[in-house]
Structure formats: structure tokens, C-alpha cells
Amino acid sequence: MGDRHVLLRGLPKVDEVLQDKRLVLFYETMPRPLIVETVRNAVGDLRTAILEGTADRVLTQDEIMDRITAILTEKKKKSLRRVLNATGVVLHTNLGRARLSREASQAVMDVMDTYCTLEYDLKSGTRGSRHLIVEDIVKKVTGAEAAMAVNNNAAATMLVLAALARGKEVVVSRGELVEVGGSFRIPDVMGESGAILREVGATNKTRISDYRNAYEEGVTGCFMKVHTSNYRIVGFTEDVGLKQMSALGKELGLPVIYDMGSGLMTDLRWYGLDEPTVTDALKDGADVVLFSGDKLLGGPQAGIIIGKKEYIDRMKKHPLARAFRVDKMTLAALEATFAQYIDREASVKEIPVLKMICARPHELKERAGRLADMLKAACPDFHYEIESCTDQVGGGSAPTCELEGYGIGVWKEELPAQKLERKLRKAPVPLIVRVNHDRVLVDVRTLADEEFPLAVEAFLSVAEGAPADGTGTLSHEAGTLSHEAGTLPHGAEIFPHMKGGEI
Ligand SMILES: *Cc1c(COP(=O)(O)O)cnc(C)c1O
């Protein structure tokens, strides 16, 4: 007991610690109450340890300050932080899907901390509509009669069904009852929207006669086609094309809705991308087409709805439109992204998602070589080898598409690949890599040239001995992702952390 008294007397006072000059920098960048709370808790923890008999000596002032500054440094980090994606998955849902183009980011910056024309018509000086902000450009680029944007494609699906088919039957093929991931399943959304799901056909075969037979006057609200964006049904199959479905819809006077998922604007079949384009969807006669803003379109999270004016007008007036509406930042990014599609050729070079998907293997090999040289020069203790690999579009798009890519296999004796992966994840700017048996793979498709120096810094931080482990729950959660990736057999090119197409 006497010992404890001695130890307790050696504890610093909270007020003294708060005046330590090592905290000066933190006072400049962090709210004071947060610092006070941290110091109080740290000193309290030391006291508890002494009282419980788990501390056998008094820590020096330096040791205590080291502990406190480490906690503060960790607290200063934002939860939403920049990372370097070296996984080769272009639309990595866990890493924020599409990277915006420079133009789109700039457009967001331009309206972010100022007033703007969100709902204001400069010409008349009266109230305007936020719907009009993207409508003109989307119409111009897609050729649609009308357009609107909501929070995401899930919201778009909900709004379309609620506005056009509440209390009515929506006819969908059993082969298209998609689960997109999480709790988003087409049948469940249908229920929530107030529409009634009418399944037709079998999982592998649906014929046009199935739709016709399902039709009942006054009961059927619409036909809906859902793109099987994250899976494909192959083998003994038959499905009804949009063209055929649209013709039947016209004959029966029913709207045909097409949830196409990704919203590819430019035909990229030449690059091995087997995805329908928005233009095709309209040409094939869909009355309403829905797609995501942050998949193959390469823009911000949003749901774009295009099609016949009479239907879009009904959606704009629906109460859910207000609940699902997007803010000025999203609209700014969307407008800028769509504007880039006016020049289709330039769009492939300037919209990061398209640029990454279209990168040719020889380019990637050359870039991998360049990064390897930088790494060798900075961290000669590691081994490096240029490797060919298979990359993915991700985001539940083009699930069967394998992109030929290149990366750098990196390893070091006595440093297990799992551990190297974890340390790279703790770098000042975290580098997210794949683990392939005894080495990590730094895939260059999803890394920009401008990010190479940061990737080098990540390896330097490992070489210098990364900061203390066990930091926060965020990195712990991220750990479960790559842990799974680590169990991949050599050469396996499935990304288990995408959970087989979860979007
Ligand atoms: C991705 C996807 C959705 C959901 O889109 P979000 O923008 O993620 O809400 C809905 N339907 C299909 C077919 C999809 O591929």
C-alpha cells in the first residue's frame, strides 16, 4: 500500500500536463476540450493502473507525454481520409467508388463555401428549380426527353416505382431479381415503394410471352428490366431484350423501366467491357432509364433518372423526390462530369474511371517499372518484381470482365506479407494493396502517376518502423478485408473483399 502512495504521488497533475510545451501544436489544430479530455483520461488510466496494482513504477514525464501525444495524433486523424488504391479494382466500393475528374472536383470547390444558383434563376431574379441544373446537360448528352438526379440509384428505383406503380403490379423476370448488396434487393425495394412484384419466367429463361401473359388491364403498372450488373446467367438461357419488351409495353400502353446499374455513356466493348450503354437503352425504347452516378459514369454518388417527360414530371412532383434530393456539391460534380461527355474522345482520357479501365497493358507495365525504380531507390531493403495480374472494374459492374494489368510484387525476408500489408495501411497516407501469398502486389492501374511519391512514402514509413500498432477501430475493420484477400491461392484473381460482387 505504501508503494502505491509513492506511485500516486508521482503522477503528474492534469493542469501541469496541459501546460506542457509539447502540446502547443495540438492547441493550434484541435479543440481545447478534446485535449483536456484526453489528458484527463490518460492520467486517470495511470491512476487506475496504480490502484489495481498493475503499474510497478512511475512513468517519467517524457513517457507520459509520449503516450498523450500519440493518442492526440491518432484523434486528430479524420475518419474519412485519403487512401491510395493499389488494389487494381477501379470502382472499389469500400474505397469510395469513382474518383472524380479534376473538372468535377473543381466545380464542387467553386460552390462549396459560397452562395450559388442552386434554386435561383439569374435571368429573372426569381426562384429556380434545382432539377434544372443537370437536366439540360443530361438531356444533351444522352438525348433523353427529360432527366432528374436523386441521391443514388437505390433512391431512383424507389422513386420510380412509387411514382409510377404504387398499388400496381410491376412485372420482372425471375432472372433479374438482383441483390445489389447490403439490404438492397429488388423484391424488398418493390415492397417498400408500394408497388407489387409480379415475377415471371424462370431463373434461366424468360420469354416475351411470360410478360404478355402477366398483363392484366388496370392491375399491371409497368414492365421493369433490371440489368444483372453483378452477375451473369450463362448456359441454357433466354431473356427478353429491352427492344422486345418496349414494343410490348407500347402495344399495351405500359411504361417500360430499365434499371441499368452502371450508366456507361461510351461503348467500351473494344476494351473488353461488356456493359450496355445509356444511349442503347434509350434507342431500344425504354421509357425510363435509371443508373448510378458513381459507377461507370465516373461521377459523384447519385441516381440519374432519364426518359419520357410525362413520367419524369410525375417523379419530380412526388413527395419522395424531396427526401431523395441531392445537394449543391453533388449537382456541381454531376454537371461537370456530364459536360465532359460532350467530347466523347476526351472523356475517355479525362474521366479517371474510364481512363483507368482503358489503360493498355504496355502502358501499365511501363508505369509499374517506373514506380519500381522509385521504390528501389528509396527502399533498397525490399525485393521488387514486375508482375502481370488481372484487374477488375468493381462496383458490381462488368463482373466477368478481366482487365490485363500490371503491378509490383514486393517482399522482404522475415516480414510476412500480411504484416507488410498492415503496415502500409498505417502509413501517413495509407496504401491499400492486395496480398498474394508471400508478397504484396502494388497494382498501378488504380494509382495515379502523381500518387507514386506517396506510395514510396508509405514504403519508407514501413522501412523506418511504422508507428505503434493497434490504432483505432477503423484500421481494425479495414484489416478484415485484406485478411481475406490474403487467403487467396496464388494467381487467384477474385477479390474476396468485394464479397463476390457486393456493390
Ligand atoms: C448498383 C446498382 C444499384 C444501386 O445503385 P446505388 O447507386 O449504389 O444506389 C441498383 N440497381 C442496379 C442494377 C445496380 O447495379
mmCIF file with all atom_site columns, all heavy atoms in Angstrom, residues 84-98:
data_model
loop_
_atom_site.group_PDB
_atom_site.id
_atom_site.type_symbol
_atom_site.label_atom_id
_atom_site.label_alt_id
_atom_site.label_comp_id
_atom_site.label_asym_id
_atom_site.label_entity_id
_atom_site.label_seq_id
_atom_site.pdbx_PDB_ins_code
_atom_site.Cartn_x
_atom_site.Cartn_y
_atom_site.Cartn_z
_atom_site.occupancy
_atom_site.B_iso_or_equiv
_atom_site.pdbx_formal_charge
_atom_site.auth_seq_id
_atom_site.auth_comp_id
_atom_site.auth_asym_id
_atom_site.auth_atom_id
_atom_site.pdbx_PDB_model_num
ATOM 1   N N   . LEU A 1 84 ? -4.511  5.496  -50.835 1.00 0.00 ? 84 LEU A N   1
ATOM 2   C CA  . LEU A 1 84 ? -4.016  5.173  -52.173 1.00 0.00 ? 84 LEU A CA  1
ATOM 3   C C   . LEU A 1 84 ? -4.552  3.789  -52.525 1.00 0.00 ? 84 LEU A C   1
ATOM 4   O O   . LEU A 1 84 ? -4.312  2.830  -51.794 1.00 0.00 ? 84 LEU A O   1
ATOM 5   C CB  . LEU A 1 84 ? -2.489  5.170  -52.177 1.00 0.00 ? 84 LEU A CB  1
ATOM 6   C CG  . LEU A 1 84 ? -1.839  6.473  -51.696 1.00 0.00 ? 84 LEU A CG  1
ATOM 7   C CD1 . LEU A 1 84 ? -0.356  6.253  -51.429 1.00 0.00 ? 84 LEU A CD1 1
ATOM 8   C CD2 . LEU A 1 84 ? -2.052  7.577  -52.714 1.00 0.00 ? 84 LEU A CD2 1
ATOM 9   N N   . ASN A 1 85 ? -5.265  3.699  -53.622 1.00 0.00 ? 85 ASN A N   1
ATOM 10  C CA  . ASN A 1 85 ? -5.849  2.420  -54.033 1.00 0.00 ? 85 ASN A CA  1
ATOM 11  C C   . ASN A 1 85 ? -4.879  1.706  -54.965 1.00 0.00 ? 85 ASN A C   1
ATOM 12  O O   . ASN A 1 85 ? -4.741  2.058  -56.124 1.00 0.00 ? 85 ASN A O   1
ATOM 13  C CB  . ASN A 1 85 ? -7.188  2.690  -54.735 1.00 0.00 ? 85 ASN A CB  1
ATOM 14  C CG  . ASN A 1 85 ? -7.823  1.426  -55.287 1.00 0.00 ? 85 ASN A CG  1
ATOM 15  O OD1 . ASN A 1 85 ? -7.331  0.326  -55.062 1.00 0.00 ? 85 ASN A OD1 1
ATOM 16  N ND2 . ASN A 1 85 ? -8.926  1.580  -56.003 1.00 0.00 ? 85 ASN A ND2 1
ATOM 17  N N   . ALA A 1 86 ? -4.193  0.699  -54.427 1.00 0.00 ? 86 ALA A N   1
ATOM 18  C CA  . ALA A 1 86 ? -3.294  -0.094 -55.274 1.00 0.00 ? 86 ALA A CA  1
ATOM 19  C C   . ALA A 1 86 ? -3.836  -1.508 -55.407 1.00 0.00 ? 86 ALA A C   1
ATOM 20  O O   . ALA A 1 86 ? -3.090  -2.474 -55.492 1.00 0.00 ? 86 ALA A O   1
ATOM 21  C CB  . ALA A 1 86 ? -1.883  -0.095 -54.687 1.00 0.00 ? 86 ALA A CB  1
ATOM 22  N N   . THR A 1 87 ? -5.187  -1.637 -55.395 1.00 0.00 ? 87 THR A N   1
ATOM 23  C CA  . THR A 1 87 ? -5.804  -2.959 -55.491 1.00 0.00 ? 87 THR A CA  1
ATOM 24  C C   . THR A 1 87 ? -6.114  -3.362 -56.929 1.00 0.00 ? 87 THR A C   1
ATOM 25  O O   . THR A 1 87 ? -6.371  -4.523 -57.203 1.00 0.00 ? 87 THR A O   1
ATOM 26  C CB  . THR A 1 87 ? -7.142  -3.008 -54.723 1.00 0.00 ? 87 THR A CB  1
ATOM 27  O OG1 . THR A 1 87 ? -8.068  -2.119 -55.376 1.00 0.00 ? 87 THR A OG1 1
ATOM 28  C CG2 . THR A 1 87 ? -6.981  -2.576 -53.268 1.00 0.00 ? 87 THR A CG2 1
ATOM 29  N N   . GLY A 1 88 ? -6.140  -2.397 -57.839 1.00 0.00 ? 88 GLY A N   1
ATOM 30  C CA  . GLY A 1 88 ? -6.499  -2.720 -59.217 1.00 0.00 ? 88 GLY A CA  1
ATOM 31  C C   . GLY A 1 88 ? -8.005  -2.847 -59.420 1.00 0.00 ? 88 GLY A C   1
ATOM 32  O O   . GLY A 1 88 ? -8.455  -3.183 -60.508 1.00 0.00 ? 88 GLY A O   1
ATOM 33  N N   . VAL A 1 89 ? -8.793  -2.590 -58.384 1.00 0.00 ? 89 VAL A N   1
ATOM 34  C CA  . VAL A 1 89 ? -10.255 -2.566 -58.520 1.00 0.00 ? 89 VAL A CA  1
ATOM 35  C C   . VAL A 1 89 ? -10.653 -1.108 -58.727 1.00 0.00 ? 89 VAL A C   1
ATOM 36  O O   . VAL A 1 89 ? -10.530 -0.289 -57.823 1.00 0.00 ? 89 VAL A O   1
ATOM 37  C CB  . VAL A 1 89 ? -10.959 -3.122 -57.263 1.00 0.00 ? 89 VAL A CB  1
ATOM 38  C CG1 . VAL A 1 89 ? -12.467 -3.122 -57.461 1.00 0.00 ? 89 VAL A CG1 1
ATOM 39  C CG2 . VAL A 1 89 ? -10.450 -4.516 -56.945 1.00 0.00 ? 89 VAL A CG2 1
ATOM 40  N N   . VAL A 1 90 ? -11.106 -0.781 -59.939 1.00 0.00 ? 90 VAL A N   1
ATOM 41  C CA  . VAL A 1 90 ? -11.314 0.624  -60.293 1.00 0.00 ? 90 VAL A CA  1
ATOM 42  C C   . VAL A 1 90 ? -12.441 1.257  -59.473 1.00 0.00 ? 90 VAL A C   1
ATOM 43  O O   . VAL A 1 90 ? -12.260 2.307  -58.871 1.00 0.00 ? 90 VAL A O   1
ATOM 44  C CB  . VAL A 1 90 ? -11.590 0.758  -61.811 1.00 0.00 ? 90 VAL A CB  1
ATOM 45  C CG1 . VAL A 1 90 ? -11.865 2.209  -62.175 1.00 0.00 ? 90 VAL A CG1 1
ATOM 46  C CG2 . VAL A 1 90 ? -10.402 0.213  -62.619 1.00 0.00 ? 90 VAL A CG2 1
ATOM 47  N N   . LEU A 1 91 ? -13.601 0.587  -59.450 1.00 0.00 ? 91 LEU A N   1
ATOM 48  C CA  . LEU A 1 91 ? -14.729 1.137  -58.675 1.00 0.00 ? 91 LEU A CA  1
ATOM 49  C C   . LEU A 1 91 ? -14.800 0.399  -57.348 1.00 0.00 ? 91 LEU A C   1
ATOM 50  O O   . LEU A 1 91 ? -15.700 -0.392 -57.112 1.00 0.00 ? 91 LEU A O   1
ATOM 51  C CB  . LEU A 1 91 ? -16.036 0.949  -59.453 1.00 0.00 ? 91 LEU A CB  1
ATOM 52  C CG  . LEU A 1 91 ? -16.159 1.720  -60.761 1.00 0.00 ? 91 LEU A CG  1
ATOM 53  C CD1 . LEU A 1 91 ? -17.363 1.226  -61.559 1.00 0.00 ? 91 LEU A CD1 1
ATOM 54  C CD2 . LEU A 1 91 ? -16.280 3.203  -60.507 1.00 0.00 ? 91 LEU A CD2 1
ATOM 55  N N   . HIS A 1 92 ? -13.833 0.639  -56.488 1.00 0.00 ? 92 HIS A N   1
ATOM 56  C CA  . HIS A 1 92 ? -13.775 -0.080 -55.214 1.00 0.00 ? 92 HIS A CA  1
ATOM 57  C C   . HIS A 1 92 ? -14.803 0.540  -54.265 1.00 0.00 ? 92 HIS A C   1
ATOM 58  O O   . HIS A 1 92 ? -14.616 1.659  -53.799 1.00 0.00 ? 92 HIS A O   1
ATOM 59  C CB  . HIS A 1 92 ? -12.367 0.033  -54.640 1.00 0.00 ? 92 HIS A CB  1
ATOM 60  C CG  . HIS A 1 92 ? -12.051 -1.036 -53.644 1.00 0.00 ? 92 HIS A CG  1
ATOM 61  N ND1 . HIS A 1 92 ? -12.841 -1.258 -52.547 1.00 0.00 ? 92 HIS A ND1 1
ATOM 62  C CD2 . HIS A 1 92 ? -11.051 -1.940 -53.580 1.00 0.00 ? 92 HIS A CD2 1
ATOM 63  C CE1 . HIS A 1 92 ? -12.322 -2.260 -51.857 1.00 0.00 ? 92 HIS A CE1 1
ATOM 64  N NE2 . HIS A 1 92 ? -11.243 -2.690 -52.461 1.00 0.00 ? 92 HIS A NE2 1
ATOM 65  N N   . THR A 1 93 ? -15.879 -0.187 -54.009 1.00 0.00 ? 93 THR A N   1
ATOM 66  C CA  . THR A 1 93 ? -16.965 0.377  -53.202 1.00 0.00 ? 93 THR A CA  1
ATOM 67  C C   . THR A 1 93 ? -16.492 0.742  -51.797 1.00 0.00 ? 93 THR A C   1
ATOM 68  O O   . THR A 1 93 ? -16.884 1.762  -51.254 1.00 0.00 ? 93 THR A O   1
ATOM 69  C CB  . THR A 1 93 ? -18.152 -0.606 -53.159 1.00 0.00 ? 93 THR A CB  1
ATOM 70  O OG1 . THR A 1 93 ? -18.678 -0.705 -54.481 1.00 0.00 ? 93 THR A OG1 1
ATOM 71  C CG2 . THR A 1 93 ? -19.254 -0.103 -52.249 1.00 0.00 ? 93 THR A CG2 1
ATOM 72  N N   . ASN A 1 94 ? -15.610 -0.065 -51.218 1.00 0.00 ? 94 ASN A N   1
ATOM 73  C CA  . ASN A 1 94 ? -15.110 0.249  -49.870 1.00 0.00 ? 94 ASN A CA  1
ATOM 74  C C   . ASN A 1 94 ? -14.232 1.496  -49.873 1.00 0.00 ? 94 ASN A C   1
ATOM 75  O O   . ASN A 1 94 ? -14.040 2.133  -48.849 1.00 0.00 ? 94 ASN A O   1
ATOM 76  C CB  . ASN A 1 94 ? -14.291 -0.910 -49.302 1.00 0.00 ? 94 ASN A CB  1
ATOM 77  C CG  . ASN A 1 94 ? -15.090 -2.191 -49.215 1.00 0.00 ? 94 ASN A CG  1
ATOM 78  O OD1 . ASN A 1 94 ? -14.558 -3.280 -49.355 1.00 0.00 ? 94 ASN A OD1 1
ATOM 79  N ND2 . ASN A 1 94 ? -16.390 -2.074 -49.000 1.00 0.00 ? 94 ASN A ND2 1
ATOM 80  N N   . LEU A 1 95 ? -13.674 1.817  -51.020 1.00 0.00 ? 95 LEU A N   1
ATOM 81  C CA  . LEU A 1 95 ? -12.762 2.969  -51.105 1.00 0.00 ? 95 LEU A CA  1
ATOM 82  C C   . LEU A 1 95 ? -13.409 4.165  -51.807 1.00 0.00 ? 95 LEU A C   1
ATOM 83  O O   . LEU A 1 95 ? -12.719 5.035  -52.331 1.00 0.00 ? 95 LEU A O   1
ATOM 84  C CB  . LEU A 1 95 ? -11.456 2.574  -51.822 1.00 0.00 ? 95 LEU A CB  1
ATOM 85  C CG  . LEU A 1 95 ? -10.684 1.399  -51.196 1.00 0.00 ? 95 LEU A CG  1
ATOM 86  C CD1 . LEU A 1 95 ? -9.393  1.136  -51.967 1.00 0.00 ? 95 LEU A CD1 1
ATOM 87  C CD2 . LEU A 1 95 ? -10.369 1.654  -49.724 1.00 0.00 ? 95 LEU A CD2 1
ATOM 88  N N   . GLY A 1 96 ? -14.737 4.180  -51.853 1.00 0.00 ? 96 GLY A N   1
ATOM 89  C CA  . GLY A 1 96 ? -15.414 5.378  -52.352 1.00 0.00 ? 96 GLY A CA  1
ATOM 90  C C   . GLY A 1 96 ? -15.781 5.375  -53.823 1.00 0.00 ? 96 GLY A C   1
ATOM 91  O O   . GLY A 1 96 ? -16.036 6.431  -54.400 1.00 0.00 ? 96 GLY A O   1
ATOM 92  N N   . ARG A 1 97 ? -15.796 4.189  -54.454 1.00 0.00 ? 97 ARG A N   1
ATOM 93  C CA  . ARG A 1 97 ? -16.172 4.074  -55.868 1.00 0.00 ? 97 ARG A CA  1
ATOM 94  C C   . ARG A 1 97 ? -15.414 5.041  -56.770 1.00 0.00 ? 97 ARG A C   1
ATOM 95  O O   . ARG A 1 97 ? -14.206 5.097  -56.714 1.00 0.00 ? 97 ARG A O   1
ATOM 96  C CB  . ARG A 1 97 ? -17.685 4.255  -56.028 1.00 0.00 ? 97 ARG A CB  1
ATOM 97  C CG  . ARG A 1 97 ? -18.450 2.998  -55.681 1.00 0.00 ? 97 ARG A CG  1
ATOM 98  C CD  . ARG A 1 97 ? -19.830 3.024  -56.328 1.00 0.00 ? 97 ARG A CD  1
ATOM 99  N NE  . ARG A 1 97 ? -20.677 1.959  -55.785 1.00 0.00 ? 97 ARG A NE  1
ATOM 100 C CZ  . ARG A 1 97 ? -21.991 2.005  -55.755 1.00 0.00 ? 97 ARG A CZ  1
ATOM 101 N NH1 . ARG A 1 97 ? -22.626 3.037  -56.251 1.00 0.00 ? 97 ARG A NH1 1
ATOM 102 N NH2 . ARG A 1 97 ? -22.678 1.009  -55.260 1.00 0.00 ? 97 ARG A NH2 1
ATOM 103 N N   . ALA A 1 98 ? -16.151 5.817  -57.589 1.00 0.00 ? 98 ALA A N   1
ATOM 104 C CA  . ALA A 1 98 ? -15.468 6.593  -58.633 1.00 0.00 ? 98 ALA A CA  1
ATOM 105 C C   . ALA A 1 98 ? -14.645 7.758  -58.055 1.00 0.00 ? 98 ALA A C   1
ATOM 106 O O   . ALA A 1 98 ? -15.089 8.451  -57.143 1.00 0.00 ? 98 ALA A O   1
ATOM 107 C CB  . ALA A 1 98 ? -16.491 7.137  -59.619 1.00 0.00 ? 98 ALA A CB  1
#
